[in-house]
């Protein structure tokens, strides 16, 4: 069953709304999109509330670091180096 002339079908309205939303997201400033570049996105990707609660409950300092660059090998080397430090809980390092 088709819509009467001049009356949009529900599917057409939904498709148009999706197209408008997609266009708005593409045109939105980068600060409004979760793209993984900002510090909040980087922390959110490795955040473990139970680990943070346990560490702070023990009086430990919790630090979030973000390697800069798109190469994973240096980040893996940094993680190994951090795990080797006696002051670091080796099981808490996330990359």
């Amino acid at each position: 069953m088709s819509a009467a002339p001049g009356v949009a079908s529900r599917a057409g309205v939904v498709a148009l709304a999706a197209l408008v939303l997609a266009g708005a997201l593409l045109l939105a400033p980068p600060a409004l999109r979760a793209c993984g570049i900002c510090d909040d996105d980087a922390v959110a990707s490795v955040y473990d509330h139970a680990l943070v609660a346990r560490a702070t409950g023990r009086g430990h300092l919790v630090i979030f670091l973000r390697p800069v660059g798109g190469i994973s090998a240096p980040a893996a080397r940094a993680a190994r180096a951090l795990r080797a430090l006696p002051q670091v809980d080796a099981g808490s390092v996330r990359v």
Side-chain angles (χ1 to χ4, degrees):
M1 178 173 200
S2 63
V7 178
S9 70
R10 180 171 172 78
V13 170
V14 170
L16 180 60
L19 183 61
V20 169
L21 179 61
L25 289 174
L26 287 173
L27 296 174
L32 296 179
R33 293 177 276 180
C35 59
I37 293 175
C38 72
D39 292 334
D40 290 342
D41 288 343
V43 169
S45 68
V46 295
Y47 185 79
D48 180 343
H49 181 72
L51 180 103
V52 172
R54 189 171 53 250
T56 55
R58 294 177 181 166
H60 295 174
L61 178 64
V62 177
I63 300 173
F64 291 93
L65 303 170
R66 179 175 60 143
V68 177
I71 302 171
S72 61
R77 282 196 301 270
R80 280 194 302 276
L82 286 170
R83 287 182 184 108
L85 293 172
Q87 301 88 348
V88 174
D89 178 3
S92 68
V93 176
R94 307 275 194 277
V95 178

